Amino acid sequence: MEDLIELAVNYAESLGAKYAEARFQRDIQETVILKNGFPEAAVLEEKKGISVRVLVDGALGFASTDGLTRRDVKAASSRAFKMARASARIMHEKVSMDDSSLGNVKVEVKQRIGFDSIDIESRTSLLKEAYKRAVEEATERNVKVPACSMTIDTWMTEKLVASSDGAYVYSLIPRAAFSMLMTAFHPQKGSVQRFFDLGGSGGWEIVERWRLPSLIEKEAETLSEILLSAGKSPSGKTDVILGPELVGLICHESSGHPGEADRILGREAAQAGETYLNRDSIGLRVGSRLVNVVDDPTLDGSFGFYLYDDEGVKARKRTLIKEGVINEFLHNRETASVFGVKSNGSARASAFDREPIVRMANTYLEPGDYSVEELLEDVKEGVYIRNFMEWNIDDRRFNQRYVGLEAYRILNGEIKERIRNPVLEVTTTGLWSSVDAVGRDLEFQAAYCGKGDPLQGIPVWTGGPHVRLREVILGG
Amino acid sequence: MKKDEAPSYIVDLALRRGATDAVANLHDRQHIMIRFSNNEVTISKFYDESTVDIFLMIKRRRAATTIPFSSTRSLEKTVEKLIKIARMTPPSELYAPLPEGPFSYDPKLLRGSKVSLNPDRLVGYVEEAINAALKEGAKKVAGTLNAVVERNVLATSGNVHASQERGALDISVRAFTSEISSGHFVSVSGDEDRFDPSEAGRIAGEIAAAASNPKPGEPGRFTALLGPLVFADLISQVGILSSAFLVDIGQSFLADKVGSQVACEKLSLIDDPTVAGSYGARAFDDEGVPTRRNVIIERGVLKGYLHNSMTAKKYGVETTGNAGLISPHPWNLIVEPGEKSFEDLLAEIDRGIYVTNDWYLRYQNYRTGDFSTIPRDGIFLIRGGSIESSVRELRISDNMLRILRNIRDLSRTRRWIRWWEVEVPTLTPYAVIDDLNFTKSTM
């Protein structure tokens, strides 16, 4: 493969490209699906090929091929070159790459328990056990589970990235993921649903750590209780405590996305949108002094793990919001060049046939000093929102809505009865400015972040501690 | 072995190795995408791929794969591995043999239109769209152009040996007159003759210019006039969630509603891939069954779900030609037109909101249909039958079934819509919805 990558870069340069980068990527994925207790088809997918990205007269061209012969690769280089050259005629601001130092390394994440050692039957049995316990748990409460789909995915991502200015990075990262959509139903109470993802990098040991049967049994119990006993949510001004699952999502949506430099430049304007931030927003206060949001691809075992990005730049922790102030944007080499800074290693591509664009990895709110009990004890009347179902945010990343699923009323510092679907519909600055205490706990959950065109779904973690918001207005 | 012979070879091999049923589907696809922003090209991309989907059953045990097309030996090894996986897989709920052919297909649907993949020509389309938007007053223009030429060769153990071609073009244009004033429109076509990037740019520019200086909107229930981009997003949800597979896993508000009045009588929704030359036209599905015109909603009544052979067996009906080997899906959605013009619809609204586009639709509960989505680009207050002013920062927070029942009227003008947010090509009119709930941030 090294030969083909070298050929792709050299051939593009020989055609006249000022910059050329080639990436081989192979993703081998195995999926088992359990639908309402019965297995669907086991799915094995292999996606592999080479992409070439070139810079010609200040325009970027990209071509991919799943043919792995010298002829296919030269054709890809040639097509990328022609695409860039054709586009150059309507370029006003010429694209360039920053002068980041580039890696020449090999990164390999080891599996303690190899995926190969866990056959399809064992994977399906694990899901069946989880489903059985969920149904039993709900049935004990006279609640039905009319629909439940569960999926386990395991996959290996192998990449080799090389560029004309010296990057040469090989990586092999195994990942495992679980997702579930469960419906709980009661003839008089209606239905509630829960969807969530789990994920990490490593071997099957990740899946074992999740203890899926117990976890899903607990989810069924909680859903049943919500259905049977949750009362009307209060609205109006109140204190709110958010659980880590929601805090992580908020960090991702209203801190990570707005700080993506390609959005700031308008590159996603017709798709995922722009941002309320602009090039001069570094130093802008958007939240209270307790708010520190970071994005760190280097977290061991994380779903968004990588040590070098897909342009060959070394990954590092990025502090997006420091003490409530915008501190750093996410950059690839292209945007870094425009902003006059160095790339902070945020270029990711979801597959061989996708170009690297600015992405998050593991975005979270850094923990503070409070225990959950301490967060609660100072709340006279309030609401605790542990997780969510519905959410969205506008394409400038400023107006967002989160609808709680597992949620409770707080009275005099104690968690009281369940409430149903509290709505937090607020602006980004309104939300972060109302943070008055941050927990010392820290939890992560997995998600697939969607961006780019064609859409690139990439694995990320989102996370944080429990957080207290003072005097926010519930309801939307 | 010639490439086109691979699907039949794979199916024969799978059957010899013990499969009761097998499908092999070779896809050859060339796709150019040009992304643009700030009135220039961000990146232009050429995708050249050749993949094979293989699906096999040993009665109730099923396995599937997608791999790059490669050597005969590699394909053979994949079949062997898949047989092994299928044997190990616990049995599914049902066994439905693959539909038995041979079938006859509409020759008009087998031949794809000619679409040029010449980079200079395609960059020219982008220039046309940008210039048309700028002419209307836009300051900056962004978007995506796609040109696709593809061919698939299908073989199944049900005596299917067939191939079909497809060519398609689409452009999505978003024009800005300021950071908070924008308009969006598309041109979507199965051939070059009907592709009109200038018109997409012009309409996006017109909306952006009209949307200048928006004021924060006020929440509440309003009569809403939904433009084709928004209504296509909502209607494509109805089409997608009419998949029997999604109904089964709880991911549909149409569960248990076949035969019921789920929408206003003015709404009829059809999945029709048999319209030759349209963007989503195709002759056969992934099981080789000829596609057909399927009525999903007729005068407000849900007529049925979309099926492959497996879901059809479970529901005791015939496949509708919408396979997806695991989950059936719509190909080409069509909403029957109303009788009034856009101007007539507008004139009949005394107090309302005109929404031109939306994005980020998420459900609180798929089964009930509770959801929200965010209007973006031009949003306009309507007073006394005319557009009064431009507003911003509102959210539609409502229920799908309520919205379908509250359709007051549809326009006779329809547009084909497909873009980043609306994946299934959808021919849709303007729609007037009574009592649509709008919310906004509380702080």
Side-chain angles (χ1 to χ4, degrees):
Chain A
M1 202 50 59
E2 293 82 352
D3 291 352
L4 289 178
I5 291 294
E6 204 173 312
L7 173 67
V9 171
N10 291 342
Y11 189 65
E13 278 194 300
S14 75
L15 293 172
K18 188 181 169 196
Y19 166 83
E21 151 205 301
R23 175 169 37 91
F24 165 77
Q25 183 167 340
R26 171 162 49 196
D27 290 277
I28 299 178
Q29 183 162 358
E30 281 185 86
T31 305
V32 292
I33 307 166
L34 195 78
K35 185 183 96 176
N36 303 331
F38 291 98
E40 276 296 315
V43 181
L44 172 71
E45 188 173 6
E46 181 179 11
K47 205 168 159 85
K48 68 175 175 185
I50 284 178
S51 65
V52 188
R53 192 169 64 142
V54 302
L55 200 47
V56 179
D57 297 335
L60 275 175
F62 174 92
S64 65
T65 175
D66 55 7
L68 293 177
T69 66
R70 290 179 66 84
R71 198 177 66 171
D72 292 324
V73 168
K74 282 175 81 170
S77 292
S78 173
R79 283 169 175 155
F81 180 83
K82 284 178 186 162
M83 295 301 302
R85 197 175 53 187
S87 305
R89 74 169 193 256
I90 55 169
M91 295 300 291
H92 314 295
E93 302 282 334
K94 293 194 183 304
V95 172
S96 59
M97 298 291 169
D98 80 343
D99 59 354
S100 288
S101 63
L102 303 170
N104 190 329
V105 293
K106 188 174 178 180
V107 177
E108 198 165 329
V109 172
K110 301 284 184 205
Q111 300 180 69
R112 197 166 58 73
I113 304 172
F115 295 142
D116 289 348
S117 63
I118 310 296
D119 63 25
I120 298 286
E121 196 169 6
S122 307
R123 298 178 191 209
T124 310
S125 297
L126 179 65
L127 293 182
K128 282 181 125 175
E129 172 64 14
Y131 175 76
K132 181 170 155 276
R133 285 176 57 177
V135 171
E136 283 170 2
E137 191 64 35
T139 306
E140 268 183 30
R141 291 165 169 75
N142 291 320
V143 168
K144 289 186 174 157
V145 181
C148 180
S149 68
M150 293 189 275
T151 305
I152 292 178
D153 289 296
T154 58
W155 74 99
M156 298 287 286
T157 300
E158 183 184 15
K159 295 184 183 189
L160 177 60
V161 178
S163 70
S164 54
D165 51 4
Y168 197 86
V169 176
Y170 173 86
S171 64
L172 182 65
I173 301 180
R175 287 188 173 87
F178 169 82
S179 70
M180 183 197 79
L181 173 65
M182 183 189 289
T183 307
F185 176 78
H186 185 279
Q188 278 79 49
K189 300 281 186 178
S191 66
V192 285
Q193 293 189 318
R194 166 83 162 135
F195 174 82
F196 71 98
D197 289 303
L198 301 169
S201 54
W204 186 258
E205 66 276 5
I206 306 168
V207 181
E208 290 191 343
R209 223 174 286 141
W210 293 331
R211 300 176 191 282
L212 286 174
S214 306
L215 181 75
I216 304 309
E217 180 184 80
K218 182 71 185 159
E219 291 287 349
E221 179 196 328
T222 305
L223 264 192
S224 302
E225 291 296 330
I226 293 168
L227 192 58
L228 296 173
S229 67
K232 194 170 180 295
S233 169
S235 59
K237 196 176 275 189
T238 191
D239 293 343
V240 173
I241 292 180
L242 303 175
E245 186 174 312
L246 198 42
V247 170
L249 177 72
I250 292 167
C251 287
H252 179 95
E253 298 289 11
S254 75
S255 296
H257 277 308
E260 292 164 340
D262 55 345
R263 274 177 187 273
I264 294 168
L265 294 174
R267 303 280 163 81
E268 290 285 323
Q271 295 86 13
E274 298 195 326
T275 163
Y276 75 98
L277 300 175
N278 60 48
R279 288 167 72 157
D280 302 323
S281 296
I282 298 292
L284 178 72
R285 175 160 294 283
V286 295
S288 80
R289 292 186 178 282
L290 300 168
V291 176
N292 292 287
V293 179
V294 298
D295 185 83
D296 188 356
T298 68
L299 292 180
D300 266 350
S302 62
F303 205 34
F305 178 83
Y306 62 93
L307 292 183
Y308 284 80
D309 78 358
D310 289 336
E311 292 177 333
V313 176
K314 191 172 184 181
R316 65 168 172 83
K317 181 174 175 178
R318 286 79 63 124
T319 302
L320 307 178
I321 299 179
K322 188 175 182 183
E323 296 178 353
V325 169
I326 298 291
N327 181 71
E328 185 178 10
F329 300 136
L330 293 172
H331 283 289
N332 62 7
R333 295 186 64 193
E334 180 194 350
T335 62
S337 171
V338 177
F339 281 68
V341 297
K342 296 271 188 199
S343 167
N344 48 22
S346 305
R348 298 179 73 184
S350 66
F352 82 89
D353 56 357
R354 299 289 181 261
E355 82 274 23
I357 54 174
V358 176
R359 306 306 298 261
M360 281 172 269
N362 305 301
T363 315
Y364 62 99
L365 184 74
E366 289 201 308
D369 299 327
Y370 286 69
S371 68
V372 175
E373 292 71 27
E374 286 166 340
L375 290 175
L376 280 165
E377 71 188 15
D378 204 17
V379 176
K380 198 172 169 208
E381 264 187 82
V383 166
Y384 171 36
I385 307 176
R386 194 161 182 276
N387 56 35
F388 64 94
M389 263 302 279
E390 175 192 334
W391 88 99
N392 49 34
I393 185 164
D394 67 16
D395 68 325
R396 288 170 52 76
R397 302 280 159 180
F398 197 66
N399 291 282
Q400 57 229 280
R401 174 180 165 102
Y402 308 99
V403 180
L405 177 63
E406 185 182 353
Y408 306 84
R409 191 187 291 273
I410 303 169
L411 198 60
N412 296 323
E414 287 183 13
I415 293 177
K416 297 292 186 184
E417 72 273 18
R418 290 179 187 276
I419 55 170
R420 204 155 173 176
N421 301 332
V423 176
L424 187 60
E425 190 162 342
V426 290
T427 61
T428 294
T429 48
L431 192 155
W432 287 123
S433 299
S434 66
V435 172
D436 94 320
V438 177
R440 58 173 172 257
D441 54 327
L442 177 61
E443 286 177 34
F444 293 98
Q445 45 284 317
Y448 296 91
C449 174
K451 185 182 168 187
D453 198 356
L455 193 68
Q456 299 196 45
I458 52 145
V460 296
W461 261 1
T462 66
H466 281 78
V467 164
R468 189 172 63 209
L469 311 179
R470 281 294 190 202
E471 296 192 333
V472 292
I473 301 170
L474 283 184
Chain B
M1 180 174 51
K2 286 182 185 159
K3 201 174 190 180
D4 281 9
E5 294 167 358
S8 295
Y9 179 80
I10 290 167
V11 167
D12 290 344
L13 179 64
L15 295 177
R16 285 203 305 277
R17 292 290 183 269
T20 53
D21 303 81
V23 178
N25 201 347
L26 170 78
H27 302 269
D28 267 329
R29 189 166 201 261
Q30 293 198 316
H31 171 194
I32 285 183
M33 173 184 279
I34 301 175
R35 292 189 60 181
F36 50 102
S37 61
N38 303 314
N39 311 332
E40 61 185 6
V41 173
T42 313
I43 188 167
S44 46
K45 305 181 274 192
F46 193 118
Y47 306 100
D48 183 18
E49 288 176 26
S50 186
T51 56
V52 189
D53 301 331
I54 307 173
F55 175 83
L56 56 85
M57 295 193 270
I58 304 171
K59 292 285 187 182
R60 286 165 60 198
R61 299 172 194 275
R62 299 187 286 160
T65 190
T66 300
I67 52 165
F69 177 81
S70 54
S71 66
T72 306
R73 182 65 204 124
S74 168
L75 294 171
E76 286 170 349
K77 274 170 67 179
T78 301
V79 171
E80 307 279 357
K81 187 168 181 183
L82 214 54
I83 290 278
K84 207 170 140 191
I85 289 174
R87 286 193 201 286
M88 280 196 309
T89 303
S92 301
E93 188 178 8
L94 292 170
Y95 168 60
L98 284 170
E100 194 64 34
F103 300 103
S104 62
Y105 304 114
D106 181 347
K108 291 198 297 293
L109 297 173
L110 294 174
R111 289 188 301 273
S113 57
K114 285 204 169 18
V115 167
S116 169
L117 295 181
N118 179 298
D120 290 310
R121 186 182 175 98
L122 298 175
V123 171
Y125 287 146
V126 169
E127 275 184 295
E128 279 180 36
I130 292 173
N131 290 335
L134 293 177
K135 199 174 162 192
E136 296 300 322
K139 300 282 189 297
K140 60 175 189 175
V141 186
T144 301
L145 175 135
N146 288 295
V148 176
V149 174
E150 62 187 354
R151 177 166 175 275
N152 76 297
V153 182
L154 179 75
T156 79
S157 53
N159 277 320
V160 171
H161 304 274
S163 68
Q164 60 188 346
E165 295 167 352
R166 179 174 169 267
L169 277 161
D170 66 87
I171 191 165
S172 161
V173 187
R174 193 176 191 201
F176 292 79
T177 47
S178 77
E179 291 302 315
I180 52 172
S181 309
S182 55
H184 199 139
F185 214 70
V186 300
S187 176
V188 176
S189 179
D191 58 46
E192 296 221 21
D193 292 343
R194 282 172 287 182
F195 183 56
D196 196 343
S198 291
E199 192 190 44
R202 180 182 60 75
I203 296 174
E206 273 177 9
I207 296 170
S212 296
N213 304 314
K215 304 284 182 299
E218 288 306 316
R221 291 195 171 274
F222 294 90
T223 301
L225 175 55
L226 303 183
L229 287 164
V230 194
F231 199 51
D233 193 22
L234 302 184
I235 281 298
S236 69
Q237 286 291 310
V238 180
I240 291 165
L241 301 189
S242 67
S243 159
F245 182 91
L246 296 181
V247 169
D248 263 2
I249 64 168
Q251 207 172 328
S252 176
F253 49 82
L254 299 173
D256 304 326
K257 295 213 163 33
V258 173
S260 305
Q261 190 84 32
V262 294
C264 154
E265 281 188 4
K266 290 184 176 170
L267 182 74
S268 291
L269 173 65
I270 298 129
D271 179 45
D272 193 356
T274 69
V275 182
S278 62
Y279 192 92
R282 58 187 294 135
F284 52 83
D285 73 0
D286 291 354
E287 294 178 331
V289 174
T291 54
R292 65 184 207 194
R293 183 177 187 274
N294 286 304
V295 178
I296 299 170
I297 293 176
E298 185 174 39
R299 296 168 61 83
V301 175
L302 180 66
K303 301 304 282 184
Y305 302 132
L306 301 179
H307 288 284
N308 58 21
S309 60
M310 188 65 67
T311 62
K313 176 157 182 177
K314 181 168 181 187
Y315 282 78
V317 296
E318 284 190 2
T319 174
T320 55
N322 288 91
L325 293 165
I326 293 179
S327 180
H329 50 77
W331 304 113
N332 208 35
L333 292 167
I334 293 174
V335 179
E336 293 286 18
E339 292 171 354
K340 294 176 183 165
S341 66
F342 167 78
E343 289 74 18
D344 292 341
L345 295 181
L346 182 64
E348 289 172 8
I349 299 171
D350 183 45
R351 179 176 171 272
I353 295 179
Y354 170 34
V355 182
T356 62
N357 195 13
D358 75 306
W359 89 308
Y360 220 142
L361 191 156
R362 289 291 183 278
Y363 288 90
Q364 190 180 113
N365 186 329
Y366 286 97
R367 193 179 166 98
T368 61
D370 294 330
F371 79 104
S372 64
T373 184
I374 305 170
R376 76 182 211 184
D377 305 309
I379 312 169
F380 303 98
L381 279 184
I382 304 168
R383 290 285 183 272
S386 302
I387 288 173
E388 185 187 69
S389 60
S390 165
V391 294
R392 64 190 171 102
E393 296 184 339
L394 289 173
R395 178 179 274 101
I396 295 172
S397 306
D398 214 305
N399 175 280
M400 280 287 177
L401 291 165
R402 231 181 69 84
I403 289 174
L404 293 177
R405 289 183 190 120
N406 282 356
I407 294 171
R408 182 201 292 182
D409 230 327
L410 302 171
S411 71
R412 63 172 173 266
T413 308
R414 293 180 296 171
R415 297 283 190 165
W416 277 107
I417 303 296
R418 185 193 171 277
W419 71 287
W420 201 70
E421 190 71 8
V422 180
E423 222 171 295
V424 183
T426 304
L427 179 62
T428 180
Y430 292 83
V432 177
I433 313 291
D434 282 325
D435 208 26
L436 188 65
N437 190 43
F438 290 85
T439 57
K440 67 178 286 190
S441 294
T442 57
M443 54 184 284

